[in-house]
Amino acid sequence: MSGFQFLAPEWLLAAPAFLAALVILYFLKLKRREIAVSSTYLWKKALEDLRVNSPFQRLRMNLLLLLQLLVLAAVLLALARPVSSFAGLEGRDHLILLDRSASMSATDGGSGRTRLQRAVDEARAIVDGLSMNDRALVVAFDDQAEILTPLTDQRGLLHQALQGVTATDRRTSLRAGLDVARGILADKKIHSPVVTILSDGRGGSVADLTVPKDVPVHYVRTGETGDNRAIIGLDVRRAFRGVEVSEDARVFATLANSGGEAKSVGVDCFLESELIASKMVEIPARGQASVAFESPKLGKGRLRVQIDGTDALPVDDSAYAILTERKDVKVLLVTEGNPFLERGLEEDKLVRKDADSHVPKLDPSQLVPDDPALRTFDLIILDRVEPKSLPPGNYLCIDALPPFEGLRTLANVPMPVVVDWDESHPVARFVTFSSLDATTARRVELRKEDKLIVASTRGGPGPSSHRRRDPRKKDHEKGKEKGGEKEPEAEDPSGFMPLMFEAKDGDRRALVLTFDLMKTQNWPLKAAFPIFLANVVRWLGGTGRDERSLAVLTGDVAEIPVPKGAKQLTVTDPAGKKRTIDLKPGDDVVRYADTSRTGFYEVRFDSSPPTFFAGNLASLDESDIAPADEIPLKSGPVAGEAKASDTRHEVWKLLVLIAFFVLMLEWYVYNRRVYV
């Protein structure tokens, strides 16, 4: 890299013209008035001057001319504002952390430019100021960090990386950027590092993070105002008409005002492109307010709630949701008779019934696994039925094991006592399994991929019946040999065994109950059972997953249910960018992580009609855009700076000083020639 640069190089371009003009002055002839004299004896000196000033004569060596050229050159160089970035032989390594989160899209400052654009300008100044032995790397971060360049002294590569940085609609995590920087600082090959954070400083607590004391940390504070209005929450609920669930929806939006004055704003509710309703809302200073919309027109479609007007951060002025029609779940009950299941399913308004308001039921003797009609059901319940094969689908197996390789029953255990259950599992929502009172249950050997949901003792009441243990925790000790039979690993911890577990095999998913509902003491008659059954219908039937996949926060993972037989998924984000994913047999959910934009994402499987899910910022912290005055690190607070520290030094003052001394020398030479 060059050790000198010029901040006003246009003066260098003009230098040849100025220097040439000075030289031309030495060619010009002085215009003199002719006067008759009696003798030329006293005018010899004047004649010599006359010959010197003759036009187009040969230019002779002239010390005054050289000194004047030197003065003019020094002045022109000073006007070009040369800067030197020489910082020694070893150089320094600059770590540039550039915030690209949603708040960096704010256009405060009066110039109409975003915070990110101004931060990129500061980063460019750092790159331009690198000395001949300096290196730099660029890290862009929002809620996660990305290293855009290696440590390099190539300014072109660094400028190219900065040119490609665009703001996302994700939240800020200063920790993500600083963690990357701390990892790089741990490298012993790094020389005299300098960390520069270009951000508005709003990105969660980093007070527990430290940076080595010998590493300078600069925080270039970007942003000026904290005045902003935002939608920080959007909730859609079905309305109720008596005991019936209506197709109408109620929309609840939460608004926030981070400014210092109360604001009255208009809020509009759109379904697709139709304006459904509009309301005025008063939001207190640095406070929140709520608004609700209810209309018969809020049926099915893409919903958008928007704040009228403009503010510094437009990305949080809108929130999005998907309204779906109530979807019935097609359930097939395969049983010889189970009044608990039949009544529970018939009471569930989400389960599709036949013309007589009964759930479709099939006798086990009539079950044909190869029957194509089985594929039309969202959920098949196998009550004490163990077919040798099953087609792809979702199954609830009660006192029965699905024909999945590796699953087997070891024994029947009397009077199992529930020890603990996985409260995070969808079928366990709002359910207390402590009242489950099975009289007998199967002791099943689980596979590594199976998920334990409800754990019990191996039979009989005892001290362990009062213990609580998380069934998701696995014991890594090997099973012990007993009578030549090795204890299965899944039931080994503290004598526990599964009463309920989840199993998968390719395109087949099953929830297995290892006990008979008809042989419990009274669990199907307790309040927990209908809630449990409703959870099963919504989870295995797909409705629960569909609802969870309708909206995500930007940066979070969207779970997209995969229809049976789908081979390819195409997701189009709100900006029009498409991504195609090839699916494998057995994929029932695609976890899509590229959710960096707010708006509607189009989802299309193969050539099927598109569906949508919504992405929202919905972050109070991100919408509070007032820039932080400092970043509080454990190693010491880092105060904000208006500009990036420039390692270059202007040398125009030295050039002006040189020009002055040369001018004095020229004056001395001229006067000596005249008076000596």
Side-chain angles (χ1 to χ4, degrees), residues 511-529:
L511 178 68
V512 181
L513 276 60
T514 62
F515 57 92
D516 186 353
L517 288 175
M518 301 293 290
K519 294 181 180 180
T520 60
Q521 297 180 42
N522 59 1
W523 189 60
L525 300 177
K526 295 181 179 180
F529 178 73

Side-chain angles (χ1 to χ4, degrees), residues 66 107 135 271 311 439 443 462 481 511 527 613 619 638 660:
L66 294 178
T107 54
R135 298 182 300 173
L271 186 63
D311 54 23
T439 58
R443 194 175 65 182
E481 300 289 341
L511 178 68
F613 71 87
S619 171
V638 182
F660 174 77

Side-chain angles (χ1 to χ4, degrees), residues 165-476:
V165 176
T166 57
T168 68
D169 297 341
R170 301 165 80 119
R171 290 152 287 175
T172 312
S173 174
L174 282 172
R175 179 179 295 273
L178 285 170
D179 280 344
V180 170
R182 294 168 69 218
I184 297 171
L185 292 174
D187 189 350
K188 296 181 180 180
K189 296 181 180 180
I190 196 166
H191 301 296
S192 303
V194 179
V195 178
T196 303
I197 305 170
L198 301 152
S199 172
D200 53 20
R202 294 287 184 178
S205 175
V206 290
D208 60 325
L209 297 183
T210 61
V211 175
K213 293 182 179 180
D214 59 341
V215 177
V217 180
H218 301 281
Y219 160 43
V220 181
R221 183 175 177 267
T222 307
E224 298 181 12
T225 182
D227 189 20
N228 183 49
R229 267 75 57 200
I231 300 177
I232 61 171
L234 186 65
D235 189 19
V236 179
R237 305 172 190 169
R238 288 292 173 187
F240 284 86
R241 301 287 183 266
V243 296
E244 295 293 328
V245 181
S246 170
E247 292 300 324
D248 300 343
R250 287 177 178 171
V251 178
F252 301 88
T254 304
L255 313 179
N257 175 18
S258 61
E261 299 180 359
K263 295 288 183 179
S264 181
V265 298
V267 184
D268 300 328
C269 180
F270 296 87
L271 186 63
E272 298 295 343
S273 58
E274 181 183 0
L275 177 63
I276 302 299
S278 182
K279 293 185 177 181
M280 293 297 298
V281 182
E282 181 79 14
I283 315 176
R286 297 184 180 88
Q288 300 179 18
S290 298
V291 60
F293 298 96
E294 183 175 358
S295 170
K297 295 182 179 180
L298 291 174
K300 175 184 177 182
R302 289 172 288 180
L303 178 83
R304 175 169 55 92
V305 177
Q306 179 175 325
I307 298 176
D308 291 341
T310 58
D311 54 23
L313 186 62
V315 69
D316 59 6
D317 292 345
S318 299
Y320 309 87
I322 305 295
L323 300 185
T324 60
E325 60 186 0
R326 195 180 64 175
K327 177 185 176 182
D328 292 338
V329 179
K330 296 179 66 177
V331 179
L332 174 63
L333 177 58
V334 183
T335 182
E336 293 180 351
N338 191 322
F340 304 120
L341 285 174
E342 293 176 27
R343 182 173 180 180
L345 293 172
E346 289 174 1
E347 292 291 329
D348 193 335
K349 299 184 183 300
L350 204 62
V351 176
R352 182 178 297 183
K353 286 82 172 180
D354 57 21
D356 297 327
S357 299
H358 297 306
V359 177
K361 187 170 67 172
L362 186 67
D363 189 271
S365 61
Q366 299 176 343
L367 178 64
V368 181
D370 295 333
D371 188 352
L374 295 180
R375 296 176 179 263
T376 64
F377 290 95
D378 300 312
L379 171 61
I380 298 176
I381 301 178
L382 301 174
D383 180 32
R384 295 162 290 172
V385 180
E386 290 189 350
K388 294 183 179 181
S389 64
L390 286 174
N394 300 313
Y395 299 90
L396 170 61
C397 301
I398 302 174
D399 194 21
L401 291 183
F404 297 171
E405 184 178 356
L407 283 180
R408 64 191 182 101
T409 300
L410 300 177
N412 289 322
V413 176
M415 304 300 293
V417 178
V418 173
V419 177
D420 205 353
W421 58 91
D422 182 358
E423 297 177 350
S424 67
H425 198 280
V427 302
R429 291 185 65 197
F430 314 115
V431 179
T432 300
F433 289 99
S434 58
S435 60
L436 201 164
D437 48 9
T439 58
T440 184
R442 301 181 182 213
R443 194 175 65 182
V444 178
E445 180 179 7
L446 300 186
R447 307 165 301 173
K448 290 183 179 180
E449 62 268 28
D450 297 332
K451 183 180 293 186
L452 182 60
I453 301 174
V454 180
S456 76
T457 61
R458 294 185 185 175
S464 61
S465 64
H466 300 288
R467 298 172 60 189
R468 292 296 303 271
R469 179 184 175 97
D470 190 343
R472 292 170 290 176
K473 295 181 180 178
K474 295 183 178 180
D475 196 327
H476 297 287

Side-chain angles (χ1 to χ4, degrees), residues 617-629:
L617 177 59
S619 171
L620 178 60
D621 291 337
E622 196 68 21
S623 295
D624 184 1
I625 62 173
D629 294 328

